[in-house]
Amino acid sequence: MSKIYAAITGVQGYVPDYVMTNKEMETLVDTNDEWITERTGIKERRILKGEGQGTSVMGIEAVKGLLKKTNTDPAEIDLVICATVTPDMPFPDTANIIADAVGIKNAFCFDISAACSGFLYALTTGAKFIESGNHKKVIIIGGDKMSSIIDYSDRTTCVIFGDGAGAVMLEPNTEGYGVIDYIHHSDGSGQAYLYQKAGGSRFPATPDTILAREHFVYQNGKPVFRAAVEGMSDVVLRIMKRNHLNADNVAWLVPHQANKRIIETVSRMTDFPSEKVMVNIQKYGNTTAGTLPLCLWDYESQLKKGDNIILTAFGGGFTWGAIYIKWAY
Ligand code: UT7
């Protein structure tokens, strides 16, 4: 019997309408368009406004679009995985909330929390269920409402992040298209540099945690920058080497969108020319688990069947990795 691969058969994204420009950032903190553009490459980001609007709102729109585009009956979906660090609530998982809203009734659903690497981890996990032969249609969502955990008085973090979500459909393929290989890593000592201190079981919400602004993201940018460059370059080079790939026979590098300078350095260290590197950070900022599916969505019309594609990400945890995909359509 031929090997079953998990092929991506559709991709859809959703970003909220509200555009927060660098000019608007200037009214919130001591920053300017020139600094943000030069140091990060970001010009604007999307923000999900409105009372009671969680990450699921964006996931629902992405999944609705995906079902329509792939002409899929919600009843056919076996599994939904949502990668996010900004779930609607600690539980139930956002994947369940999204599935319920779009009429997916025959699936089991769960979230994966791996910060900016969440989509990669979820994609590998979903691929394993397809490869098992037991699951035929799996939806992987990556999305975050970062504006819900960002301190808009901290200029070192607030300029970077935005809100957005994307989703892909995975289906079995026996012709060699789909997820071919992956490398994933975690290093818990990275918790010192990037975290949200309060709101979990160690420091539940109290008036003191709120006054100390501990429900917001803390980041020590420089060590994270260094680790991101080293981590992503290493896994990209290793996954290419063991699959006999190089920048000539890979069509696209799809890097996590955290900082344009990180993307450029990783591209240089892995020998990718800029025209083969997906970049949309200028319009969305860092949407955490949303960046990779939003890149695939933005570039979908340029992808060709058989393209070799390398996805890579690095984020809080630390978590990082790379996936090699052969594009299926
Ligand atoms: O996605 C998850 C993983 N995260 C990442 O990969 C992010 C990695 N880190 C970064 O992208 C960068 O470190 C940042 C964008 C967060 C910061 O850039 P940087 O070049 O490392 O700046 P820095 O923190 O060293 O700060 C340089 C200067 C400082 O001023 P002094 O001390 O030199 O006077 C900062 O206070 O820039 C100042 N600064 C700002 N100035 C204007 C920091 N943030 C801002 C700002 N506007 N928004």
Side-chain angles (χ1 to χ4, degrees):
M1 213 180 81
S2 9
K3 180 173 170 15
I4 301 170
Y5 289 92
I8 293 179
T9 54
V11 56
Q12 183 71 23
Y14 177 81
V15 289
D17 292 335
Y18 188 86
V19 178
M20 187 186 262
T21 61
N22 289 351
K23 275 271 165 264
E24 184 176 347
M25 279 289 167
E26 290 176 11
T27 67
L28 301 176
V29 286
D30 179 16
T31 190
N32 55 74
D33 176 50
E34 194 189 348
W35 190 96
I36 303 172
T37 307
E38 249 176 42
R39 305 305 292 169
T40 72
I42 300 164
K43 296 301 283 183
E44 56 191 42
R45 67 289 291 143
R46 300 300 181 98
I47 303 294
L48 183 63
K49 298 265 188 184
E51 193 83 356
Q53 305 288 290
T55 295
S56 69
V57 169
M58 301 182 291
I60 289 166
E61 290 308 317
V63 171
K64 270 188 194 162
L66 183 68
L67 291 169
K68 189 164 175 222
K69 194 170 174 180
T70 55
N71 203 15
T72 307
D73 180 343
E76 294 173 64
I77 304 298
D78 316 293
L79 166 64
V80 179
I81 307 177
C82 178
T84 186
V85 284
T86 52
D88 281 27
M89 295 178 267
F91 73 91
D93 281 4
T94 302
N96 291 275
I97 296 168
I98 295 170
D100 178 54
V102 303
I104 293 175
K105 300 286 183 208
N106 300 320
F108 71 109
C109 312
F110 62 91
D111 288 359
I112 280 187
S113 172
C116 299
S117 309
F119 182 77
L120 283 187
Y121 282 24
L123 186 57
T124 299
T125 306
K128 294 295 158 199
F129 282 96
I130 294 277
E131 289 166 19
S132 74
N134 294 330
H135 295 78
K136 304 293 179 222
K137 287 186 194 282
V138 171
I139 291 180
I140 308 297
I141 306 153
D144 275 296
K145 183 187 173 187
M146 292 307 290
S147 61
S148 65
I149 54 168
I150 289 302
D151 182 350
Y152 286 94
S153 67
D154 173 9
R155 69 175 182 175
T156 67
T157 52
C158 74
V159 301
I160 309 170
F161 291 98
D163 302 339
V168 299
M169 182 77 72
L170 290 181
E171 294 182 69
N173 182 290
T174 50
E175 293 165 351
Y177 299 103
V179 175
I180 310 289
D181 195 9
Y182 67 93
I183 298 176
H184 295 316
H185 288 290
S186 301
D187 176 2
S189 67
Q191 69 181 291
Y193 306 104
L194 181 52
Y195 58 82
Q196 179 190 330
K197 184 171 178 182
S201 56
R202 201 191 295 177
F203 299 108
T206 65
D208 286 344
T209 63
I210 293 167
L211 282 174
R213 309 186 84 74
E214 289 171 355
H215 294 268
F216 293 124
V217 171
Y218 165 83
Q219 176 171 252
N220 180 354
K222 280 225 184 300
V224 179
F225 188 110
R226 265 196 304 275
V229 166
E230 282 167 18
M232 286 194 283
S233 302
D234 175 61
V235 288
V236 168
L237 287 171
R238 280 198 285 136
I239 205 165
M240 289 207 300
K241 188 164 183 215
R242 76 186 190 193
N243 287 285
H244 314 290
L245 298 170
N246 54 53
D248 292 332
N249 55 18
V250 173
W252 294 99
L253 177 67
V254 193
H256 172 51
Q257 310 284 302
N259 186 319
K260 183 97 188 304
R261 289 184 295 134
I262 295 179
I263 296 170
E264 285 167 355
T265 313
V266 170
S267 310
R268 210 169 42 246
M269 289 173 74
T270 54
D271 270 344
F272 275 94
S274 58
E275 62 273 16
K276 286 189 170 193
V277 181
M278 293 191 191
V279 179
N280 60 13
I281 190 171
Q282 70 284 359
K283 48 183 187 172
Y284 306 142
N286 182 351
T287 56
T288 303
T291 66
L292 297 178
L294 285 173
C295 274
L296 293 175
W297 180 50
D298 273 354
Y299 282 80
E300 187 189 19
S301 63
Q302 297 181 56
L303 304 180
K304 291 193 280 301
K305 188 171 180 177
D307 275 354
N308 290 321
I309 299 177
I310 304 289
L311 309 172
T312 186
F314 186 95
F318 291 145
T319 56
W320 70 104
I323 292 183
Y324 163 35
I325 292 173
K326 202 172 257 302
W327 197 249
Y329 65 98

